[in-house]
Amino acid sequence: MSTATHSLPRTIGAHAVLLTYTAIALFPVILVIVNSFKSRAAIFGAPLTPPTPKTFDLIGYTTVIGQGDFIHYFQNSLVVTVASLFFVLLFGAMAGFALSEYRFRGNTMMGLYLALGIMIPIRLGTVAILQLMVASGLVNTLTALILVYTAQGLPLAIFILSEFMKQVSDDLKNAGRIDGLSEYTIFFRLVLPLVRPSMATVAVFTMIPIWNDLWFPLILAPSEETKTVTLGAQLFLGQFVTNWNAILAALSLAILPVLILYVIFSRQLIRGITSGAVK
């Protein structure tokens, strides 16, 4: 009883901190979505109140869909994000399997070298990346963005996946080898299904920076054919007049894929984050 009594205040305090953090994190998102359904006057007059029958207005969404070619920008972002996630998970898992399974000279140094990519922002190499893309003829192509985002996401993916793959039973992999399975078959059929929670974690943490990025689309793919959602939303920002209804509507639509991904992978994400806490 005494232990339960002493742990109750800690539990209440922990939940209070988590609820406070959740409220702070969700407040801007809710504010953007709520104001996207209001008229311009209501946005500035009462930004913290929900829309009423008098203030409800869909002018922002009609403007975005009708004038901003938002569907095309959304498709570009979707193609770049899905392709980048595919390559990050594929190459990250394969590299993580190699680092965790095979022992060779420089194994540790290779892991440390890849971990440097987590600490050093890729934006520091923007000039060199731009020169490389110009020399390769990849400027104003989605391929340039996919290559950059793949390189950006690989260090974190390799670091996380290699640690999880070290926990996969050696007996299981050796049994597969005894049965005549190739290394690729062991990797795809035995190892990958066991590290799905960690791959979901990598997918969520990789997708958000890619989907929300404005830096590389602005530098590498600013043409109308290759604009992404975040870059396309800049069309409604003017030097003298800003269409806040359209901006808030575009941001609300851009939030949807992230929310859908989290809802789909929330259970796997939580398992991936907490699996190392309990042995």
Side-chain angles (χ1 to χ4, degrees):
M1 288 295 293
S2 60
T3 303
T5 304
H6 288 300
S7 63
L8 181 61
R10 295 182 181 179
T11 303
I12 295 175
H15 281 78
V17 172
L18 292 174
L19 289 174
T20 302
Y21 175 78
T22 303
I24 294 174
L26 292 180
F27 178 74
V29 177
I30 296 175
L31 194 64
V32 168
I33 296 176
V34 167
N35 283 280
S36 68
F37 293 99
K38 294 160 64 175
S39 62
R40 181 181 178 88
I43 292 174
F44 290 96
L48 300 180
T49 59
T52 62
K54 292 184 178 181
T55 61
F56 182 82
D57 199 340
L58 294 177
I59 184 63
Y61 290 94
T62 57
T63 302
V64 167
I65 297 175
Q67 299 181 7
D69 201 11
F70 184 83
I71 302 299
H72 180 64
Y73 305 150
F74 189 92
Q75 290 176 347
N76 289 338
S77 291
L78 193 62
V79 169
V80 170
T81 303
V82 171
S84 300
L85 278 179
F86 173 78
F87 289 121
V88 167
L89 293 176
L90 176 63
F91 297 142
M94 295 177 74
F97 179 74
L99 289 176
S100 62
E101 182 66 17
Y102 308 122
R103 293 293 177 262
F104 54 89
R105 176 180 293 183
N107 181 289
T108 304
M109 292 303 298
M110 180 66 71
L112 292 175
Y113 173 75
L114 292 172
L116 288 176
I118 303 175
M119 298 177 281
I120 301 177
I122 194 173
R123 287 179 176 82
L124 293 179
T126 299
V127 175
I129 292 173
L130 180 58
Q131 292 175 344
L132 178 63
M133 295 303 171
V134 171
S136 304
L138 294 177
V139 176
N140 285 325
T141 64
L142 299 182
T143 303
L145 297 178
I146 293 172
L147 291 175
V148 171
Y149 291 141
T150 300
Q152 174 182 288
L154 276 176
L156 180 63
I158 294 173
F159 178 78
I160 293 177
L161 295 176
S162 62
E163 293 300 318
F164 275 86
M165 288 181 180
K166 290 178 182 177
Q167 302 176 14
V168 178
S169 173
D170 291 333
D171 295 336
L172 177 64
K173 292 177 285 188
N174 292 330
R177 294 187 179 100
I178 293 173
D179 290 338
L181 299 181
S182 65
E183 293 298 311
Y184 286 101
T185 304
I186 293 173
F187 171 71
F188 284 107
R189 293 188 180 181
L190 299 181
V191 177
L192 280 189
L194 296 177
V195 296
R196 282 183 301 178
S198 62
M199 296 189 70
T201 303
V202 171
V204 172
F205 282 108
T206 302
M207 174 192 173
I208 295 175
I210 294 175
W211 186 267
N212 294 335
D213 187 42
L214 176 64
W215 181 262
F216 285 113
L218 181 62
I219 294 174
L220 300 179
S223 68
E224 188 67 23
E225 293 77 14
T226 57
K227 280 184 179 178
T228 58
V229 169
T230 52
L231 187 57
Q234 304 301 308
L235 295 175
F236 305 109
L237 288 173
Q239 183 178 1
F240 303 104
V241 179
T242 299
N243 191 338
W244 289 106
N245 296 89
I247 290 177
L248 294 177
L251 293 177
S252 299
L253 292 173
I255 291 172
L256 286 179
V258 179
L259 293 178
I260 293 173
L261 182 72
Y262 177 77
V263 170
I264 294 174
F265 294 107
S266 59
R267 182 174 300 178
Q268 300 288 340
L269 176 63
I270 295 173
R271 286 178 57 191
I273 294 175
T274 60
S275 60
V278 180
K279 295 183 179 180

